[in-house]
Amino acid sequence: MNTRSGDADNTGPSIPHVPHPLHPPQGLGTMQTARPLERHRMRMRLLDAVDEDRRDVEVLLTALQQAVAEVHGLGGMVHLPGGGMSGILYLVADSGLPESMTRPWLIIPVRGAAPPSRAARNDTITWQPDLAPPDPVPGRDPAALWPSRLPAGIGHLAVPIPSGGWRRGALSVLFAPGAEPGAAERAFLNEVAAWMSGRLRSSGILNPSPTLLRALENGPGPREAASPWDAERVPSLTYTWDLRTGELTSDLPVEEVLAGIDPGVMSGGIEAWAELIHPDDLPGAVAGFDTGIQLRGGFQNEYRIRRQDGTYLWIEARARTITDEDGTPVKVIGTLRDSSETHAAAESVGRALRHMSDGFVSLDTDWRIGFLNQAAERLLGAAGDVAGALLWNIPAVRAVPGLEQRCRATAAEGQPAEFDIPGPDGTSWYHLRLVPVPEGLTLYITDTTERHLREAERAAAERSAAERAALVQRITRELAEAVTAQDVMAAVADGVMTPLGATGLVMLGVVGDRLNVVGSRGYPDRFTRVLDGQWTVSDTTNPVGDALRTRTPLFISSPEEFLKRYPRIKTLIREGGKQAWAFLPLAVSGRGIGAAVISFGRPRVLGDDERTLLTALSGLIAQALERAGLYDEATTRARTLQRSLLPQALPELPEVTTAARYQPAKQGADVGGDWYDVIPLSAARVALVIGDVMGHGMAEAATMGRLRTAVRTLSELELPPDEILGHLNDIVGELGTDAFVTCLYGIYDPVTRRLSYASAGQPPPAVAHPDGTVTFLSMTPDPPLGVAAPPFETLETLLPADSLLALYSDGLVESKDRDVTTGLSRLAELLFQSVNAMPTSRADASDLDALCATLTSALLPAHGALIDDAALLLARTHPLDAENVAEWPLPEDPVAAGQARDLVRAQLKDWDLADEDLIMTTELLVSELVGNVIRHACGPIRLRMLRSRTLICEVSDATLTTPHIRHTSATDEGGRGLQLISALCQRWGTRHTRTGKSIWTEQPLPPPQFDL
């Protein structure tokens, strides 16, 4: 019986067409939401509800569909034994699989290796992670029917279908690649298989359906003989086997055709005949009969039967199946003949083959060993042990990876093939020649171990020479690319230590007359500290000084040899823990600059090739180390210059908490032009600056220093951001047409909490708000300084208290592997994560410094891979509380000075600044400022006091004139007011505003008083 779910060809009268979905219908939606165990129970209850009068086809198909749907399989199959003799499993039901996939599975042997065969034979669940064709049966090769476009990695799980004390068959489910069923799914399939067994226990033989028969008839059938026996005039007898009664009859006495056979065997029926068949031939004979009965057609076979004296003769059997009107097999009619003479001739040939020097193996179409000679026995095992066995089950064959696939591919092509394979012992080699023959395959095996050894030795010599040449080429390239002394150290360590099997390396450089350690590998730090500076160049009692004196490499093969030559350095040998050494002098232009010491963990005598290699490398190492020394000096000078041009430390201001990080580009003497600055301004304001001079080199670094100085000078003039950028643009323009600079200048006012800023080519600053959100300030940046056309645009934004402002150069967010947009998104993401992870208390400079380190390490590649400088300035804003700000209007009248003094005295006492000297000084300052406004300017007049890092007093008016200190003579009556102001305050100045100007003073606050 073969049932295909939804197969339109399945139109046999005994199997009605019923559509069967792979998944439960929508009415069972609750089943898909239930837990797996509950869903399993629900499906089993559905199966238990199947009517008892349902036919076997419907029972199997219903159970198969429930199983496939529950375990989310691709499809499933059910294999059961058929009528006739045992040994064959037939596909009786399938679901969800196309016919191209089921055709190879229509008939499979019980003794095969496919999961259904093993599950039925061993009564165990069998899993195969990669679906493969089943084993062939006589006259049928599933591999030839295998779909060509089948996806790889389909899993195959089979569970046995038991019945009483014997196995009926197997339930199989195919799974998508990478999906392996768990314990729950396997248990459920076992339960379904048991349910199938219970429902089929009372059923009779399940005959194949018309669909199966048509498929078999269209596929390859049993092999037909080349010519009729009658043409060969060979004696034969005709027999009849009644399948219903088991009775055997023949037209001639059996002993007339098959000499020596028991004359009464026919009367004993088919069971008596089966007892005469040789045990090794019985499975094949049974399979042949079974296949012929199932196919309702002709078949033939050849096997041995036992004579009465215990010997065996070969017979060749042909038969055909007779059916009744309903198509049910009722008889088998066949003929038998003695084929012993043919086998005797084969045995004569076999004797000749047995003594061949090469191995010879004869295989049948099922890859079973039919004959092997003595040479082959030495490889595969004794003939009595391996004859009739599958070639792939022989341990020596299994030990050779890929041999089965190559043999099967050769047989499929039908052409002779030959190739070399390694022996199972891993040291021998054999040449295999496979020759397809009509009845299988012959295999010739030649021992080629000696030839392979000669070829291996020649290849090893060539490979060794090529490796040495490649090693020299690689080390030469790496040393040429080495920039620093550590690069040279790494190139020698990676290129020399591993190929030579060395365990230690020390590079020494000459500083004065001392030999200092440049770098080491494979030595403890204590040893390198002891060695550093201990030896001198002029001292020939140490091996390095000796090698530098003679300019000849020194090779020492053991500690005993070392102590014999240099007995004074016994301690260094013990501390270093090495057993052999190679001391390579490093000299350039006749001047010794150091030495490279390569050491080994065991005593070793270096060969001539190795010594020649190290001698040649010493010159390359010396030149590279000399270049690295010059580079290190230039780099140190450049880095020192660059660091000196940047702020040594940021000012500590109550209005902003700041931190900065500068990361130079990859190692090189050319420095960059990125800079940043934090500048305190009047009225507790703070200027935040970041810039970037395009290019690398000393000229760019000098330009950066000039611009930073100019920015600080212009900031002292209290200019707004747009005017400062305008002056910088003029400075850059004077440098030449190839100078380009980007800059962003911002002023934060803690009183108004406003940030006013202007940009020339800089990326927009990022603002992390107290609630954790991150935004970028909106602006349309002007072109870089040097190509921009003033005026620049000044923008303003209101910053909430404790906002985090991030100013940065483009090197932080842009690289060769990342565009600016991606970099800005990554910066915003990191700021969001970091700000939300920071403590809610007011962050100090150390917190921001740690945040700088986090941002630069996440946004920038490794230092050696950074192609552009990067600067980052973080500022946490702290607005000035309203209680620290006081402001009053004053009349345009001389009495304003007196009012100002009263207001100042009252406010200072309100701020607990009751120091009389401070009060009197502040009154005098404010009185002078207001008096100057009354005399030389016009209103409206305003007085403002700020308590911040200093005590700030401001007097504002509506004029734009800037006061200057005059040099007065002894007879002048006026002009001494500003001199007095300059003497009484810490600093003072004038700041122009939109409505006029403000004259301001700053006084230091007295230290806080503590009650004891």
Side-chain angles (χ1 to χ4, degrees), residues 766-777 797-805 831-832 835-836 876:
V767 179
H769 297 269
D771 61 358
T773 59
V774 178
T775 60
F776 290 93
L777 295 183
T797 185
L798 182 65
L799 297 178
D802 294 326
S803 296
L804 180 63
L805 187 66
L831 280 174
F832 175 81
V835 170
N836 283 284
R876 175 80 74 180

Side-chain angles (χ1 to χ4, degrees), residues 845-921:
S846 62
D847 294 332
L848 291 187
D849 191 67
L851 179 56
C852 280
T854 299
L855 294 177
T856 52
S857 62
L859 289 169
L860 299 178
H863 181 50
L866 188 61
I867 62 174
D868 191 13
D869 295 10
L872 172 65
L873 175 62
L874 297 180
R876 175 80 74 180
T877 62
H878 310 300
L880 198 61
D881 296 335
E883 62 182 16
N884 294 319
V885 180
E887 186 173 7
W888 308 273
L890 296 176
E892 297 185 50
D893 190 271
V895 300
Q899 293 182 10
R901 289 192 294 271
D902 295 339
L903 292 171
V904 166
R905 177 174 288 274
Q907 186 62 50
L908 289 177
K909 290 183 177 180
D910 188 47
W911 282 343
D912 294 329
L913 300 174
D915 181 77
E916 191 61 31
D917 291 340
L918 177 65
I919 293 175
M920 291 181 64
T921 302

Side-chain angles (χ1 to χ4, degrees), residues 129-378:
D130 198 356
L131 183 66
D135 295 279
V137 296
R140 185 173 182 80
D141 184 8
L145 304 174
W146 198 248
S148 59
R149 293 180 295 178
L150 194 64
I154 294 178
H156 191 175
L157 180 73
V159 299
I161 302 177
S163 179
W166 58 284
R167 305 170 190 85
R168 299 195 62 163
L171 163 65
S172 301
V173 178
L174 305 185
F175 291 84
E180 181 174 355
E185 287 80 3
R186 298 183 182 218
F188 173 73
L189 293 178
N190 248 340
E191 194 171 358
V192 173
W195 183 88
M196 286 182 177
S197 176
R199 291 300 300 266
L200 295 176
R201 187 168 295 144
S202 60
S203 302
I205 294 176
L206 296 175
N207 293 318
S209 68
T211 302
L212 173 60
L213 293 178
R214 286 197 301 273
L216 293 175
E217 290 169 1
N218 294 331
R223 185 182 293 108
E224 297 294 337
S227 60
W229 289 349
D230 293 340
E232 300 174 6
R233 296 183 179 180
V234 177
S236 63
L237 67 82
T238 300
Y239 70 90
T240 301
W241 174 20
D242 192 322
L243 297 178
R244 291 170 295 190
T245 64
E247 181 183 1
L248 279 176
T249 59
S250 61
D251 62 342
L252 295 173
V254 66
E255 65 274 13
E256 292 184 8
V257 177
L258 305 175
I261 300 300
D262 183 4
V265 67
M266 289 297 183
S267 61
I270 190 63
E271 300 299 334
W273 183 263
E275 290 181 359
L276 297 182
I277 300 177
H278 193 286
D280 293 341
D281 300 339
L282 183 60
V286 169
F289 276 105
D290 209 9
T291 301
I293 294 172
Q294 292 295 332
L295 297 180
R296 274 70 163 175
F299 57 94
Q300 71 180 63
N301 204 344
E302 191 172 13
Y303 51 87
R304 290 166 290 179
I305 60 173
R306 188 177 65 252
R307 298 186 180 95
Q308 288 179 297
D309 60 3
T311 61
Y312 286 88
L313 63 82
W314 283 92
I315 66 170
E316 189 171 352
R318 292 189 179 190
R320 67 179 184 276
T321 304
I322 306 299
T323 61
D324 58 13
E325 296 178 355
D326 297 330
T328 302
V330 294
K331 291 182 180 181
V332 173
I333 298 178
T335 55
L336 301 172
R337 80 169 181 103
D338 186 347
S339 59
S340 298
E341 292 184 3
T342 303
H343 282 270
E347 291 175 1
S348 175
V349 175
R351 283 190 296 271
L353 293 174
R354 284 194 63 81
H355 300 286
M356 288 176 56
S357 59
D358 292 344
F360 177 84
V361 181
S362 174
L363 304 170
D364 62 14
T365 56
D366 295 330
W367 297 96
R368 295 186 180 275
I369 297 176
F371 173 83
L372 72 167
N373 64 359
Q374 293 177 349
E377 286 185 36
R378 289 192 291 268

Side-chain angles (χ1 to χ4, degrees), residues 312-565:
Y312 286 88
L313 63 82
W314 283 92
I315 66 170
E316 189 171 352
R318 292 189 179 190
R320 67 179 184 276
T321 304
I322 306 299
T323 61
D324 58 13
E325 296 178 355
D326 297 330
T328 302
V330 294
K331 291 182 180 181
V332 173
I333 298 178
T335 55
L336 301 172
R337 80 169 181 103
D338 186 347
S339 59
S340 298
E341 292 184 3
T342 303
H343 282 270
E347 291 175 1
S348 175
V349 175
R351 283 190 296 271
L353 293 174
R354 284 194 63 81
H355 300 286
M356 288 176 56
S357 59
D358 292 344
F360 177 84
V361 181
S362 174
L363 304 170
D364 62 14
T365 56
D366 295 330
W367 297 96
R368 295 186 180 275
I369 297 176
F371 173 83
L372 72 167
N373 64 359
Q374 293 177 349
E377 286 185 36
R378 289 192 291 268
L379 297 174
L380 306 182
D385 298 332
V386 300
L390 275 174
L391 179 65
W392 324 123
N393 292 339
I394 306 300
V397 176
R398 278 202 310 268
V400 181
L403 178 59
E404 179 179 356
Q405 291 77 5
R406 299 182 73 171
C407 291
R408 290 187 181 277
T410 299
E413 294 174 0
Q415 298 294 328
E418 49 190 297
F419 47 85
D420 290 344
I421 61 169
D425 56 3
T427 59
S428 56
W429 280 86
Y430 297 93
H431 180 77
L432 268 60
R433 186 167 187 267
L434 289 81
V435 180
V437 295
E439 297 300 327
L441 193 75
T442 58
L443 178 63
Y444 298 88
I445 307 172
T446 304
D447 190 338
T448 58
T449 302
E450 291 187 5
R451 177 170 59 85
H452 271 273
L453 287 176
R454 290 193 299 271
E455 293 176 354
E457 291 174 357
R458 183 174 63 254
E462 295 175 352
R463 185 168 57 253
S464 178
E467 289 176 352
R468 285 195 300 271
L471 175 62
V472 173
Q473 183 178 10
R474 184 175 71 253
I475 296 177
T476 302
R477 182 179 63 254
E478 293 178 354
L479 290 175
E481 296 174 353
V483 177
T484 67
Q486 294 305 315
D487 292 341
V488 176
M489 179 73 193
V492 176
D494 297 339
V496 177
M497 289 181 63
T498 301
L500 294 182
T503 59
L505 170 67
V506 176
M507 196 84 72
L508 300 171
V510 176
V511 179
D513 190 45
R514 292 284 173 182
L515 290 167
N516 294 341
V517 175
V518 176
S520 67
R521 290 278 184 92
Y523 283 97
D525 293 339
R526 183 178 63 179
F527 173 80
T528 55
R529 286 195 299 269
V530 172
L531 183 63
D532 190 26
Q534 182 172 357
W535 291 340
T536 62
V537 177
S538 58
D539 183 11
T540 58
T541 61
N542 67 77
V544 174
D546 207 0
L548 284 173
R549 179 180 60 83
T550 60
R551 297 289 192 272
T552 304
L554 179 62
F555 303 99
I556 301 178
S557 59
S558 67
E560 293 77 14
E561 182 183 353
F562 201 125
L563 291 176
K564 183 178 180 180
R565 290 191 178 192

Side-chain angles (χ1 to χ4, degrees), residues 2 23 65 69 122 260 624 717 722 853 932:
N2 178 267
H23 302 287
Q65 289 173 343
N122 301 326
L717 299 177
D722 57 333
N932 281 340

